[in-house]
Amino acid sequence: MTEHPTSHEGRQPLADRPQEQTRPRQEAAPAGLPSDIPAQPAPQLPEPAPAPAPSAPAVAVAVSPKGAEPAGRREGDRLRFVGAATRRIARGLDLDEIVLGLCRATVPAFSDEILVYLRDPLPVGDERPVAPFVLRLRRTDRLRLTDLEGDELVLVPDPDPTPAAELCEVRSGSSLAEVLRGVRPVFGDSAAARTALGELLGPEHPLPRGLRAILAPLRGRRRVIGAAVFLRRAEQPAFDPDDLLVGAQLATHTALGIDKAVLYGREAYIADELQRTMLPDSLPQPTGVKLASRYLPAAETARVGGDWYDAIPLPGSRVALVVGDVMGHSMTSAAIMGQLRTTAQTLAGLDLPPQEVLHHLDEQAQRLGENRMATCMYAVYDPVSHRITVANAGHPPPILLHLDGRAEVLRVPAGAPIGVGGVDFEAVELDAPAGATLLLYTDGLVESRLRDVWTGIEQLRERLAAAAQLTGPDHAPPLEALCDDVLDMLGPGDRDDDIALLAARFDGIAPSDVAYWFLDPEDAAPGRARRLARRALARWDLEELTDSVELLISEVVTNAVRYAERPVTLRLLRTDVLRCEVGDDSPQLPRQRRARETDEGGRGLFLVNRLARRWGATRLSGGKVVWFELSTRV
């Protein structure tokens, strides 16, 4: 038989054995789900009398008649026990904690041993349970008496609990199925219960002679989800009809708590998965900048937020860096985050200025409904000019870590959050020197119940400066290690909110690695473009690429001249690859197609697709850019 965990912390001695003592252990603090799951009312019993605070251990009372005890006293003890037990069960935050709460509350105050079976798998909400109906032994608890010092008797965990089958298939029409269908607890000495217990525990594990039992089905809001077996030894008083009511109360509270915990856990899982799938699987690696990111959900799984980050390649080797935070914590927040992120990607593809992107995001948030607000930081980095343009919508300011180790909180206009409406956004252009690192983040990194946002920003700035000192001047710290080091500043109470972090290392492109020309839209433009490209390649010692570059440039420039009315731009960039960009004022994007044998043209993009390492076309507000890349390693 599989051995099951037993835990008996917080037990009280049996009421009819005042000389016995327990050795309670410290109860672990539950985490993971909200603690506001209410205990359900018990219609079978009167309103419980006031009981100790939830942090107190279960009340040690006798819940069966004891000799000549007055009936009123027995009833009061029973009510106090039920009140304390249901509160202990309700304190459970997840499935295991609720089952553990039932075991701790009942052993030894109500029974000497308990077996808890749950449906496997547990159905969630309205989903249809899978067949067959299988119960799995979830937990067993049992205490025994031992004589440690003289006459002192103490309760300790019993390493040899009552044998029971690990799995039990509930067959239609069987005695166990009938008992579970009846929902009400039954005494184990009835004919139906004896047969049902034999099916539950397994034919190879008969119930030991002399044990008294109560079999209590566990029914959630819609269906039976398990069973609990309460056992007493022969020397203990037998269960009486009032104990059936107590067992019903315990089973009802446990089943409803399990039902809520499973349903809430599924909802939290779905919301968390929804948010994670809306974040980028991987970051692009644009020319002239290195990127790293981190995302951490809130410490409490129920607090699903709307933080996001993104890096979007733009024409001209630029890249848009975005970090945003939808206000609130719910599945709605995660869904709104996905819509805003998609909108931001679309707006970035139009190559709009950062302030215009925030303006359109603000309009989109208002269309989504009232009180759909978010903060956002949108920055565009140009590796050629070594400049960055930043617009802010109520987001914490970015921090720039310079190559000399100085960490600077950038002065950017605060702006109003997205969704407020009727406000203007302002963009500022700042230097982005080579070797510097820009850090964009959400407020969960710098704000918590233990510190305000500006204190957190200052601590983050100091943390970055300290990390830079470890690598020394003129040596930027590794980007991935820097992200991990930043997250290490979080303390135990600093995970109130989810966290999105985006770090960008500005490598830039040196002016000597850039060649830029304007070409008049005339028939001679392709020939001139070939000559200019040939000279640039010779200057960069890339003559081996001359034939391929001339062929591809000729095809792309010819297509641009055909539709352009203003001068065509030609730019070559040398980094780890050779990138060629041709821009014109026509918004029509080229499309690759299969040319027929009788066609004189239509094969240019086919050649580009075959010879280039990568290629693409991007529409701009004033036209388009067609680009291709060739590897410099031949």
Side-chain angles (χ1 to χ4, degrees):
M1 166 180 160
T2 304
E3 185 176 352
H4 299 277
T6 60
S7 181
H8 310 277
E9 299 92 329
R11 299 296 198 278
Q12 291 284 358
L14 293 170
D16 58 337
R17 297 181 179 178
Q19 75 276 16
E20 298 170 5
Q21 301 177 359
T22 61
R23 292 186 176 180
R25 303 173 187 171
Q26 185 176 2
E27 184 174 334
L33 289 176
S35 57
D36 56 355
I37 301 178
Q40 300 297 315
Q44 300 94 333
L45 294 177
E47 183 68 22
S55 59
V59 178
V61 299
V63 293
S64 294
K66 300 293 181 183
E69 286 187 62
R73 178 178 176 183
R74 292 198 303 269
E75 184 66 19
D77 288 345
R78 184 174 288 111
L79 292 176
R80 283 191 292 272
F81 164 75
V82 171
T86 53
R87 284 194 300 273
R88 169 167 256 168
I89 294 170
R91 286 207 306 268
L93 300 180
D94 60 17
L95 178 62
D96 291 329
E97 290 176 348
I98 292 172
V99 174
L100 178 60
L102 171 65
C103 296
R104 287 178 172 176
T106 56
V107 178
F110 179 70
S111 62
D112 297 313
E113 185 176 356
I114 184 173
L115 309 175
V116 181
Y117 281 84
L118 294 180
R119 196 162 188 161
D120 185 26
L122 274 169
V124 180
D126 293 324
E127 74 177 17
R128 187 177 182 83
V130 298
F133 186 169
V134 176
L135 294 177
R136 179 182 292 274
L137 184 60
R138 187 79 182 195
R139 187 178 181 87
T140 65
D141 265 19
R142 179 179 179 180
L143 295 182
R144 65 183 176 86
L145 297 174
T146 182
D147 188 355
L148 291 185
E149 297 180 3
D151 296 332
E152 181 183 7
L153 298 176
V154 298
L155 291 164
V156 299
D158 192 338
D160 187 24
T162 298
E166 176 77 16
L167 294 175
C168 170
E169 181 177 344
V170 182
R171 302 185 182 278
S172 177
S174 65
S175 297
L176 179 57
E178 293 301 320
V179 170
L180 295 179
R181 185 178 294 113
V183 177
R184 297 180 179 277
V186 295
F187 289 121
D189 54 1
S190 65
R194 281 198 301 270
T195 306
L197 284 172
E199 297 174 9
L200 184 63
L201 303 183
E204 68 277 12
H205 303 300
L207 196 65
R209 186 178 301 275
L211 278 182
R212 285 76 173 268
I214 287 180
L215 175 57
L218 302 178
R219 179 178 176 81
R221 288 187 293 273
R222 295 172 179 83
R223 59 186 65 87
V224 173
I225 60 174
V229 182
F230 304 98
L231 300 173
R232 284 185 185 172
R233 294 188 296 268
E235 63 269 20
Q236 295 291 339
F239 290 111
D240 63 21
D242 288 337
D243 291 328
L244 284 182
L245 297 180
V246 174
Q249 281 281 70
L250 298 176
T252 299
H253 283 78
T254 302
L256 293 179
I258 290 173
D259 222 14
K260 291 179 180 178
V262 172
L263 182 60
Y264 200 92
R266 173 65 66 86
E267 291 178 350
Y269 170 79
I270 292 174
D272 185 64
E273 286 299 303
L274 172 65
Q275 182 175 15
R276 288 184 180 276
T277 54
M278 289 181 179
L279 295 174
D281 292 332
S282 60
L283 293 174
Q285 295 300 325
T287 303
V289 60
K290 294 183 177 66
L291 301 172
S293 64
R294 295 291 186 273
Y295 171 77
L296 288 181
E300 301 176 31
T301 57
R303 292 175 59 84
V304 179
D307 291 17
W308 91 90
Y309 62 88
D310 217 339
I312 309 167
L314 300 177
S317 299
R318 295 169 301 148
V319 60
L321 308 174
V322 191
V323 168
D325 182 5
V326 177
M327 296 182 183
H329 297 86
S330 64
M331 291 185 65
T332 302
S333 300
I336 293 173
M337 177 269 287
Q339 295 182 71
L340 292 180
R341 179 179 176 237
T342 302
T343 303
Q345 290 178 325
T346 304
L347 295 171
L350 299 177
D351 199 29
L352 298 178
Q355 66 272 22
E356 289 297 321
V357 172
L358 295 184
H359 174 73
H360 288 292
L361 284 176
D362 179 60
E363 292 180 337
Q364 174 67 10
Q366 294 178 68
R367 284 191 291 267
L368 294 176
E370 296 182 0
N371 299 322
R372 305 302 194 200
M373 292 194 293
T375 63
C376 182
M377 183 74 64
Y378 189 95
V380 175
Y381 170 64
D382 188 340
V384 177
S385 64
H386 296 267
R387 304 281 287 178
I388 184 168
T389 306
V390 185
N392 186 20
H395 204 76
I399 298 180
L400 186 65
L401 179 62
H402 294 267
L403 193 58
D404 59 6
R406 178 172 53 92
E408 175 188 7
V409 179
L410 297 183
R411 297 179 177 271
V412 296
I418 290 171
V420 172
V423 296
D424 291 329
F425 298 98
E426 183 181 352
V428 294
E429 188 173 346
L430 305 170
D431 286 330
T437 303
L438 184 71
L439 197 71
L440 303 176
Y441 52 91
T442 55
D443 59 357
L445 181 64
V446 295
E447 185 179 23
S448 70
R449 288 170 293 180
L450 304 180
R451 59 183 177 183
D452 62 82
V453 62
W454 288 108
T455 299
I457 291 174
E458 179 59 24
Q459 292 177 356
L460 176 60
R461 189 195 65 79
E462 294 174 353
R463 186 85 177 190
L464 291 173
Q469 289 180 357
L470 296 178
T471 58
D474 300 327
H475 291 84
L479 206 56
E480 297 290 342
L482 183 65
C483 291
D484 292 335
D485 190 63
V486 165
L487 294 181
D488 286 343
M489 68 179 281
L490 297 172
D494 292 338
R495 292 288 302 283
D496 302 329
D497 197 357
D498 48 343
I499 298 170
L501 177 68
L502 180 62
R505 172 71 43 75
F506 299 142
D507 293 334
I509 300 176
S512 59
D513 292 327
V514 180
Y516 191 85
W517 304 279
F518 286 96
L519 304 174
D520 291 329
E522 55 189 16
D523 294 341
R528 182 165 181 259
R530 291 193 295 269
R531 292 192 299 272
L532 294 173
R534 190 184 311 119
R535 295 172 189 169
L537 294 177
R539 187 169 67 250
W540 293 334
D541 296 327
L542 296 176
E543 289 90 345
E544 65 274 12
L545 298 179
T546 299
D547 292 340
S548 298
V549 171
E550 286 188 1
L551 176 60
L552 297 183
I553 282 182
S554 181
E555 294 293 340
V556 176
V557 171
T558 298
N559 188 72
V561 169
R562 181 178 304 169
Y563 301 101
E565 296 181 0
R566 299 176 187 163
V568 174
T569 60
L570 172 63
R571 184 163 74 168
L572 295 180
L573 303 172
R574 182 187 64 166
T575 56
D576 53 338
V577 296
L578 179 70
R579 182 182 177 97
C580 173
E581 299 172 349
V582 177
D584 62 73
D585 59 348
S586 173
Q588 182 178 355
L589 297 180
R591 294 284 183 253
Q592 184 179 351
R593 62 183 179 87
R594 182 176 296 276
R596 293 173 298 183
E597 294 182 359
T598 57
D599 291 343
E600 295 184 1
R603 297 176 178 83
L605 290 182
F606 178 78
L607 291 174
V608 174
N609 187 63
R610 290 295 300 271
L611 297 178
R613 177 174 173 265
R614 291 194 312 152
W615 78 278
T618 305
R619 182 177 285 112
L620 306 177
S621 57
K624 68 175 180 294
V625 168
V626 180
W627 57 269
F628 63 83
E629 291 179 352
L630 293 171
S631 176
T632 56
R633 299 180 179 88
V634 180

